[in-house]
Amino acid sequence: MTAYNGYITDETIEGADDGPLAAKTVAVKDNISTEGVRTTCGSAMLDEYVPPYDATVVERLKDAGATIPGKTNMDEFGMGTTTETSAFGPVENPVAEGRVPGGSSGGSAAVVAAGDADLALGSDTGGSIRCPAAFCGVVGIKPTYGLVSRYGLVAYANSLEQIGPIAPTVEDAAELLDVIAGPDEHDATTQEAPDADGSYAAAADGDVDGLSIGVPTELLDGADEEVVETFWTALDDLEAQGASYHEVDLPSVEHAVEAYYVIAMSEASSNLARFDGVRYGQSGGYDGNWNDSFANAREEGFGEEVKRRILLGTYALSAGYHDKYYKKAQDARAWVKQDFDEALEDADVLASPTMPVPPMERGESLDDPLTMYLADANTTPVNLANLPAISVPAGETDTGLPVGLQLVGPAFGEREIIRAGSALA
Ligand code: GLN
C-alpha cells in the first residue's frame, strides 16, 4: 500500500516473459476487469467482486509482457474530479501536499507521479485521464472514441468513455497506446485507425515546425490567472520551436458541461441498474419483498455522488422530461462536435489549459458538486465530440502546483497530438 492511498488492491499480475512492455509495471484502474483479481470500481457495492475474465486491454498488457502491480483507487464508478468519492478513502496528491490528485483516475496518475508504477491505465468519460494527469504533473491520453476496446471496462457512460494511458512522458504514454489500441471483436464500437500502420511512439519526435495551433478563447475565459499564464508560457515554448497559433471560436462549449452531465447521468442511471444485489453487487437480503431487497442493496452499496447521479439521470430520461433534457443535450452534443470539426479545418490541433484551476485543496469540493462539475469545462467537450486529446505538463504556478496543457486533435489524429505534446514533455 502507498502512503497516499493510490492502490485499492496491490496484488501482482504477471504478464508474458517477453514483449514490448516486459520491463514495465502498468497499474490498472479498478474499473477495468482483471480475471481472478477483485475489481471494485471504488464502490462498496463491488467490494468483493472478482471478475471471471480479463478486459481486452488487460489481455493485451499481459501479452505485451507487462507486470500489473495492482488496481488503482478511483472515484466511485468514475464519478468525480478529485478521487475523494472512493469507498476506499481519498487519494492524496503525491506531488502537491494537501491537494487532490484529480479524478476520477486519481490513483493511476498518483502511482505514476510517485514512481510506484512505470505506467498506468485510466478511463476518461469527461476528463478522468487528463484531469489527474494535469494535477499530478504527468501525461495522459484520452483516445478517439473507438480506438481502444471498452470490453471489460465497467460502464459509466458508454457513449463518452475510453480507456487510455498515463505516463511520465509522452513517448511512454504512446508506447502504452501502441499496445492497447486497435479493433476488438468483443467491442463493436472499435475500429481500425485509418493510419493503423506504424507506431504511436514513433510520432513522439518533438517536431512542431510548421504546426498550426488553434486556441479556443472560450476555454481560457474564466480560468485561473496563474493557470492561463503558465499555459501561454508553454505555447510560447511551442512557438519558439516553430509552431504558430491563432485564436478560434467554439461558441457551443458554453453548453458542454450541462450537456455532458445530462448525458453521462442518463447513461449512468441505466448502466448502474444492474447493481441490485442479485445480478451484481452486495446482497440486500430478502424477507419476502424484492423491491426492499434491491433498495437495501443500493442504499448500502452506493455512495452519495453515485446516488445523486442515478436520481438525476433517471429524471432526465423519464417520459415527461426526456425531450426537455436528454434530447436537448444530444442536440448540444451535435453542435459541439460541429464546432470542433470547423475549428480543426484551420488548425492541426487545438490547445487549452487541461483544467481551468490548479489542484483543489482536499475536501474543498465535496460539499459543492456544482463547482466540481464546472471544473470539467475544458475536458468534457472533447468527449462529447469523441475526439482524441492529451494532457502534458505545462509548468507550475508560483506556489509549485502542476498545470496541464491539453491538445485536441481530429478523429484518429493521435499522432498529431503526440507529436505536438512531445515537444513539451
Ligand atoms: N468528472 C467527470 C465526472 O464526474 C469525469 C469523470 C470521468 O471522466 N470518468 O463525470
Side-chain angles (χ1 to χ4, degrees):
M1 289 291 152
T2 58
Y4 52 89
N5 203 21
Y7 288 108
I8 291 176
T9 303
D10 55 2
E11 219 174 301
T12 303
I13 305 171
E14 296 292 348
D17 287 342
D18 47 40
L21 296 178
K24 306 270 186 178
T25 52
V26 185
V28 173
K29 188 176 181 180
D30 210 23
N31 58 351
I32 300 175
S33 303
T34 40
E35 182 182 349
V37 175
R38 79 171 174 156
T39 298
T40 68
C41 294
S43 182
M45 181 64 92
L46 292 177
D47 195 13
E48 291 164 21
Y49 172 62
V50 178
Y53 69 102
D54 276 330
T56 298
V57 292
V58 169
E59 232 170 51
R60 290 183 182 177
L61 287 184
K62 287 175 164 178
D63 289 346
T67 300
I68 298 170
K71 305 294 299 292
T72 58
N73 204 348
M74 57 182 281
D75 280 303
E76 188 175 2
F77 286 103
M79 299 174 186
T81 307
T82 61
T83 313
E84 293 174 294
T85 71
S86 169
F88 300 85
V91 175
E92 291 177 46
N93 189 323
V95 301
E97 213 191 319
R99 304 283 166 155
V100 301
S104 67
S105 313
S108 288
V111 298
V112 171
D116 287 317
D118 297 319
L119 308 164
L121 289 183
S123 66
D124 190 309
T125 311
S128 283
I129 289 175
R130 290 161 286 160
C131 161
F135 282 4
C136 292
V138 294
V139 174
I141 299 176
K142 177 259 182 237
T144 305
Y145 189 78
L147 183 68
V148 177
S149 170
R150 287 177 296 107
Y151 182 68
L153 170 70
V154 180
Y156 158 17
N158 328 41
S159 80
L160 296 160
E161 57 209 4
Q162 279 284 290
I163 294 171
I166 295 177
T169 69
V170 173
E171 190 175 0
D172 291 333
E175 268 171 27
L176 182 51
L177 185 61
D178 275 319
V179 168
I180 60 172
D184 173 20
E185 61 175 19
H186 294 302
D187 177 356
T189 62
T190 54
Q191 55 177 303
E192 188 89 61
D195 56 350
D197 296 348
S199 82
Y200 292 112
D205 58 12
D207 181 6
V208 289
D209 199 21
L211 182 83
S212 161
I213 304 174
V215 179
T217 41
E218 290 86 355
L219 300 185
L220 292 170
D221 292 349
D224 174 274
E225 211 173 295
E226 278 197 67
V227 167
V228 174
E229 255 171 52
T230 313
F231 167 76
W232 284 119
T233 308
L235 265 204
D236 288 344
D237 184 354
L238 290 174
E239 195 182 30
Q241 298 181 58
S244 64
Y245 60 81
H246 61 276
E247 293 189 349
V248 299
D249 281 329
L250 295 177
S252 62
V253 300
E254 184 195 336
H255 307 287
V257 171
E258 287 99 324
Y260 166 80
Y261 274 96
V262 169
I263 294 170
M265 290 181 189
S266 298
E267 292 187 23
S269 74
S270 162
N271 279 322
L272 270 57
R274 63 175 67 97
F275 302 104
D276 55 21
V278 175
R279 288 171 293 178
Y280 287 94
Q282 302 286 346
S283 167
Y286 179 69
D287 59 9
N289 183 330
W290 284 112
N291 276 336
D292 288 347
S293 170
F294 286 13
N296 284 342
R298 291 164 75 77
E299 166 63 31
E300 283 161 27
F302 288 141
E304 211 177 302
E305 183 63 28
V306 172
K307 284 177 186 155
R308 174 162 33 237
R309 295 189 187 203
I310 291 173
L311 288 173
L312 288 169
T314 305
Y315 180 78
L317 287 179
S318 62
Y321 292 99
H322 176 274
D323 286 1
K324 195 165 169 207
Y325 297 110
Y326 186 72
K327 190 166 170 302
K328 263 213 165 141
Q330 293 294 3
D331 290 346
R333 182 174 190 173
W335 185 21
V336 169
K337 170 125 196 60
Q338 189 187 323
D339 270 359
F340 270 107
D341 288 348
E342 278 170 18
L344 284 164
E345 276 170 21
D346 302 323
D348 298 314
V349 297
L350 305 178
S352 74
T354 307
M355 299 300 288
V357 289
M360 300 82 133
E361 279 178 34
R362 299 182 58 206
E364 203 176 72
S365 64
L366 274 182
D367 299 327
D368 189 357
L370 201 56
T371 304
M372 190 179 79
Y373 299 165
L374 287 173
D376 297 333
N378 294 4
T379 50
T380 52
V382 183
N383 300 74
L384 291 171
N386 290 340
L387 297 175
I390 190 169
S391 178
V392 296
E396 290 177 353
T397 64
D398 290 346
T399 50
L401 299 174
V403 174
L405 176 121
Q406 169 174 256
L407 294 162
V408 183
F412 296 103
E414 269 74 9
R415 283 187 180 75
E416 268 120 288
I417 56 172
I418 286 168
R419 180 163 290 120
S422 66
L424 290 174

